Amino acid sequence: MKNMPHTVTNATITTIRERIERQVYPAGAMLPSQRQLAEELSISRASLREALSTLEALGLVVIRPGKGVYVSDAPQRVGVAWRFADQISLADTYQLRYALEGFSTRLAALASSQDEIDWLSDNVETMHMALLNGDFDEAAQLDFAFHLHIVSMAGNGAIADILRGSTEIVMESQRLPFYQRELAHSTYIEHLEILEGLRRRDGHAAGLAMEHHIVRAAQRAGIHFPTPPGVLEQSNPPAASAAQATP
């Protein structure tokens, strides 16, 4: 009960963000009124306002006092060269991570211990501080450590060796999304979703959260690749599931 407001707010952020990404709320459109949204999502107006403030900080919406909340125009991609184009394409890198890390996270959930969860929680909050301070190099290093730790938890040495052997490539794929400064905070929220699934030892939810995270990170880097039909629409992120399960 103590963490319920925080969980409900994160679930609301996830729901609205996914509607924006699926263009249920297209760029430039006004969101439903706060009263309508609060009733539809079964949350308090205070929690909704907190969620909308976070979405504005992420650059996804614009709050216009007295007028409403509007979806931001699609952000312009920052042209950043992919340094490893002669070895592997950026799209292939994200697809490889999607396949390996989604599976690894499902395994990791079955092997998670409180010590592992505590380590990941510390990592997530430290990365959050790095993002708030604008230290994106440190954030990228912590991002890589978070992902590698989960792969290590899974206990699959072959997958761990693949990622460790491609450290520079993987880290660069994690750094590129941070060039969209207004969306950098998204990584923190997505890591919280993954962590919640691991904490509950829910391999299905944790794996989906990891896959969502990698797809969204790729999109922030300007890469779009196909995923299994309905995978983003039909799943409940861990934070949302936790909110629904909270009495």
Side-chain angles (χ1 to χ4, degrees):
M1 294 294 292
K2 183 178 180 180
N3 294 325
M4 182 179 176
H6 181 67
T7 303
V8 170
T9 300
N10 284 338
T12 302
I13 292 168
T14 298
T15 298
I16 296 175
R17 181 178 59 191
E18 288 192 340
R19 291 178 181 180
I20 291 172
E21 291 173 351
R22 300 200 312 267
Q23 296 189 6
V24 175
Y25 304 146
M30 185 173 72
L31 267 60
S33 68
Q34 291 191 25
R35 183 173 69 176
Q36 181 179 340
L37 273 176
E39 291 176 354
E40 178 187 347
L41 300 175
S42 300
I43 61 172
S44 68
R45 295 281 290 276
S47 293
L48 177 60
R49 285 193 293 270
E50 182 181 352
L52 292 174
S53 294
T54 299
L55 289 166
E56 184 175 44
L58 294 175
L60 295 177
V61 303
V62 176
I63 300 174
R64 298 174 182 170
K67 295 183 178 180
V69 180
Y70 293 79
V71 179
S72 299
D73 292 333
Q76 296 297 317
R77 300 295 177 186
V78 178
V80 180
W82 173 240
R83 296 192 294 119
F84 302 97
D86 60 336
Q87 300 178 46
I88 183 173
S89 73
L90 183 56
D92 285 353
T93 300
Y94 283 119
Q95 288 180 332
L96 177 66
R97 291 184 54 205
Y98 177 91
L100 297 182
E101 295 190 49
F103 175 71
S104 295
T105 305
R106 287 172 170 82
L107 292 180
L110 303 178
S112 62
S113 66
Q114 189 57 51
D115 286 344
E116 301 282 12
I117 295 301
D118 289 344
W119 189 96
L120 291 170
S121 296
D122 289 343
N123 171 281
V124 169
E125 294 308 321
T126 303
M127 186 188 71
H128 188 207
M129 291 304 302
L131 290 172
L132 291 175
N133 293 329
D135 191 341
F136 297 104
D137 285 335
E138 182 185 1
Q141 293 173 13
L142 290 162
D143 189 2
F144 179 76
F146 177 87
H147 286 259
L148 190 60
H149 196 85
I150 291 174
V151 170
S152 298
M153 287 168 59
N156 188 307
I159 294 177
D161 287 346
I162 289 172
L163 294 180
R164 288 195 185 97
S166 306
T167 296
E168 290 189 10
I169 292 174
V170 173
M171 282 193 67
E172 185 68 8
S173 76
Q174 292 171 319
R175 184 180 293 109
L176 286 181
F178 291 145
Y179 283 104
Q180 288 218 75
R181 298 301 196 235
E182 72 279 5
L183 299 180
H185 192 70
S186 297
T187 298
Y188 167 65
I189 292 177
E190 291 158 11
H191 279 200
L192 285 178
E193 293 172 357
I194 296 165
L195 180 59
E196 182 61 29
L198 293 172
R199 180 179 286 113
R200 293 188 290 112
R201 299 174 67 88
D202 186 338
H204 177 69
L208 283 176
M210 177 62 79
E211 290 166 353
H212 291 177
H213 169 48
I214 292 173
V215 168
R216 290 168 183 153
Q219 291 172 351
R220 290 192 288 274
I223 298 296
H224 297 262
F225 61 86
T227 57
V231 67
L232 291 178
E233 291 85 356
Q234 295 175 1
S235 60
N236 282 325
S241 298
Q244 294 167 2
T246 303

